[in-house]
């Protein structure tokens, strides 16, 4: 393990990660930074010298979960007083010194403060905790090669930008992650080459709004998202490229056409709609209408036939009426997403919605609407997955299927999970990272079932 610059006894670092893929990617950056200072990763909290949680603030329940974990970490500290407890990520940024109350937490570090972690760990003493929650305008951790959490894995995350310049009224992310900044494309391509050389076969480019990726180099030369996609897709035809999240307002025809040109850019777009009602979209400060959204979907399907489409939906946003809710249902019916992440609105302190609009949809109404949305989506998912019966897909093998270790699983380009039997014993078995041609013979609402051709 790492420790090139450090000669002392290795200290053991345990990190739990909550929230989005961006946080998974950031945890890899933290391991990388701390590896250079003599910390090695452990997956057992019981033997850790440092226990950290990389946290999420997007909904209240995400924060409640971490508050519960702090109590569990504190039990470790009671048994072994030298243990250091750190809270990283979005909750650290949102709650700041509030997390230090009660003396259970020693370190509070926001998403742009990870380079100062070694110094903070050095400086921390009983009764004198350390906090750094300064947000940056330019930090992208571009020069740090993340320590991949799944060594020998198939699929790697690469952050291409940080922060968010939108102000969706319900959303805490701009406050916890700061302003949008794009990472130097050369460092992104270098990282893609690195992981490909290490045996990875897929990269997912991460940003809150990838379509607004824009890097200006010191000579004033600009690189936008379509160009970046082309650069990463050109690393190797055997390296699949995915990305998330696309914003309906900003997704460009140019990016869709670049996808069409490169078969290794996966046919899948995650396009969060949030609501099907124009009145709600305006109040949410999403900068598109229902009509615009449907027109973007039509364009995606025209340029990229068979492209997978998934979304996020919020039920019960401020003042949402039954009519608004039915418009969300009718949009979901019309589009027929493959999958959706569906949430009941959770008011976040400090956001525009929290300051301006009462959270006035009663909990039982929110939950009833959410159940209706989920039920509708389950039906649409089943339709979408069944529509693939009889089709053939190139699947990137990830490993044994969770339900039946005798079978393999992996994703088709459209992001649907496929399960299929291994090759017969007389042939070389397929391994994680191999591509396989699979014909689909059956489907559930979340899995395609098939066999090798
Ligand atoms: N940048 C992405 C979203 C990141 S947050 C985008 O613009 O689409 C992921 C999802 O969490 C959002 O799409 C939204 O559906 C949900 N979400 C965000 N804030 C929320 C809140 N206050 N209550 C409920 N769901 C929320
Ligand atoms: Fe939040 Fe909107 Fe930014 Fe997405 S685009 S992170 S929903 S503010
Ligand atoms: Fe959560 Fe922060 Fe991601 S609030 S969703 S971890 S950007």
């Amino acid at each position: 393990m790492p420790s090139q610059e450090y000669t002392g006894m290795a200290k053991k670092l345990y990190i739990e990660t909550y929230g989005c893929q961006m946080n998974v990617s950031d945890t890899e950056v933290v391991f990388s930074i701390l590896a250079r200072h003599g910390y090695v990763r452990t997956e057992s909290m019981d033997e850790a010298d440092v226990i950290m949680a990389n946290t999420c603030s997007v909904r209240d329940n995400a924060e409640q979960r971490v508050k519960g974990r702090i109590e569990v970490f504190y039990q470790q500290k009671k048994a072994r007083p030298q243990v250091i407890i750190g809270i990283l990520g979005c909750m650290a940024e949102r709650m700041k010194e509030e997390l230090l109350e009660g003396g259970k937490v020693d370190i509070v570090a926001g998403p742009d403060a990870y380079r100062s972690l070694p110094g903070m760990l050095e400086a921390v003493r009983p009764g004198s905790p350390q906090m750094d929650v300064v947000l940056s305008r330019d930090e992208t951790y571009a020069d740090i090669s993340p320590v991949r959490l799944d060594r020998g894995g198939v699929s790697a995350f690469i952050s291409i930008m940080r922060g968010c310049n939108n102000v969706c009224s319900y959303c805490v992310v701009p406050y916890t992650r700061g302003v949008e900044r794009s990472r130097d494309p050369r460092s992104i391509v270098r990282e893609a080459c690195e992981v490909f050389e290490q045996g990875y076969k897929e990269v997912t480019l991460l940003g809150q709004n990838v379509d607004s990726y824009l890097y200006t180099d010191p000579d004033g030369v600009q690189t936008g998202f379509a160009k970046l996609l082309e650069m990463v897709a050109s690393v190797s035809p055997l390296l699949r490229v995915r990305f998330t999240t696309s914003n309906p307002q900003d997704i460009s025809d140019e990016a869709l056409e670049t996808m069409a040109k490169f078969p290794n850019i996966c046919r899948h777009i995650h396009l969060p709609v949030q609501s099907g009602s124009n009145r709600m979209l305006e109040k949410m400060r999403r900068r598109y209408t229902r009509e615009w959204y449907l027109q973007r979907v039509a364009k995606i399907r025209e340029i990229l036939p068979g492209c997978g489409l998934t979304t996020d939906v919020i039920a019960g946003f401020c003042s949402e009426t039954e009519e608004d809710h039915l418009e969300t249902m009718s949009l979901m019916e019309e589009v027929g997403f493959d999958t959706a992440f569906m949430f009941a609105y959770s008011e976040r302190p400090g956001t525009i919605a929290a300051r301006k609009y009462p959270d006035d949809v009663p909990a039982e109404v929110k939950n009833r609407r959410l159940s209706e949305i989920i039920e509708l989506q389950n039906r649409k998912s089943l339709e979408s997955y069944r529509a693939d019966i009889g089709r053939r897909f190139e699947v990137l093998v990830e490993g044994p299927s969770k339900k039946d270790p005798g079978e393999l699983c992996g994703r088709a380009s459209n992001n649907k999970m496929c399960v299929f039997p291994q090759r017969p014993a007389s042939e070389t078995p397929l391994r994680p990272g191999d591509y396989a041609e699979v014909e689909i013979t059956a489907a559930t609402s979340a899995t395609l079932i098939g066999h090798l051709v």
Side-chain angles (χ1 to χ4, degrees), residues 18-20 23 55-58 90 172-173 176-177 208:
Y18 297 87
C20 62
N23 259 13
T55 62
C56 174
S57 286
V58 83
C90 292
V172 78
V173 172
T176 62
R177 292 261 162 186
Q208 294 298 350

Side-chain angles (χ1 to χ4, degrees), residues 50-308:
V50 178
I51 300 176
M52 289 178 167
N54 191 2
T55 62
C56 174
S57 286
V58 83
R59 285 169 290 276
D60 184 57
N61 55 12
E63 289 196 348
Q64 294 312 326
R65 213 159 130 219
V66 169
K67 286 180 186 164
R69 293 306 290 164
I70 294 176
E71 297 308 317
V72 174
F73 299 164
Y74 190 58
Q75 293 311 312
Q76 292 279 336
K77 198 180 175 70
K78 277 209 256 179
R80 301 180 292 132
Q82 74 282 7
V83 166
I84 296 174
I85 298 178
I87 300 299
L88 316 178
C90 292
M91 259 176 98
E93 194 60 51
R94 193 187 78 70
M95 296 179 66
K96 304 186 169 64
E97 49 276 297
E98 201 182 323
L99 285 168
L100 297 172
E101 285 166 15
K104 291 175 184 161
V105 171
D106 304 293
I107 287 178
V108 173
D112 290 340
Y114 300 148
R115 286 183 205 267
S116 34
L117 280 173
M120 294 167 85
L121 282 161
E122 204 49 40
V124 78
R125 298 282 177 278
S128 79
Q130 299 287 310
M131 181 166 82
D132 185 346
V133 288
V134 177
L135 284 172
S136 160
R137 301 200 138 262
D138 47 27
E139 177 65 272
T140 58
Y141 300 111
D143 57 313
I144 293 174
S145 288
V147 170
R148 305 284 158 193
L149 294 180
D150 58 341
R151 267 169 302 149
V154 174
S155 186
F157 292 137
I158 300 184
S159 290
I160 62 164
M161 58 208 294
R162 298 181 71 82
C164 182
N165 278 357
N166 289 329
V167 271
C168 304
S169 61
Y170 51 84
C171 182
V172 78
V173 172
Y175 306 90
T176 62
R177 292 261 162 186
V179 296
E180 182 183 291
R181 61 223 103 119
S182 296
R183 176 177 169 190
D184 187 334
R186 286 163 303 182
S187 79
I188 296 169
V189 171
R190 195 186 327 119
E191 198 174 319
C193 291
E194 251 170 50
V195 296
F196 184 63
E197 276 159 23
Q198 289 163 12
Y200 286 83
K201 293 292 170 54
E202 183 174 273
V203 293
T204 304
L205 309 179
L206 299 178
Q208 294 298 350
N209 183 1
V210 291
D211 301 288
S212 69
Y213 174 88
L214 186 66
Y215 183 81
T216 310
D217 79 6
D219 300 326
V221 180
Q222 293 196 316
T223 307
F225 184 58
K227 178 71 189 159
L228 178 73
L229 265 183
E230 185 183 321
M231 289 164 75
V232 178
S234 304
V235 167
S236 164
L238 291 177
L239 182 70
R240 277 185 169 186
V241 183
R242 298 186 181 276
F243 53 86
T244 194
T245 303
S246 302
N247 190 303
Q249 176 62 40
D250 298 316
I251 188 166
S252 69
D253 291 357
E254 200 194 349
L256 299 178
E257 269 143 21
T258 305
M259 289 175 77
K261 260 195 277 174
F262 287 87
N264 58 324
I265 304 181
C266 290
R267 269 44 179 168
H268 169 232
I269 296 179
H270 184 61
L271 198 66
V273 67
Q274 316 299 359
S275 170
S277 147
N278 282 337
R279 193 178 73 85
M280 285 294 100
L281 288 172
E282 196 183 340
K283 204 161 187 168
M284 288 173 164
R285 294 207 183 198
R286 297 292 280 184
R287 295 167 297 122
Y288 54 87
T289 58
R290 175 192 178 96
E291 294 71 28
W292 170 274
Y293 187 91
L294 291 172
Q295 171 257 320
R296 292 322 293 163
V297 169
K299 196 77 189 177
I300 291 168
R301 289 182 166 161
E302 177 197 320
I303 299 182
L304 299 162
C307 185

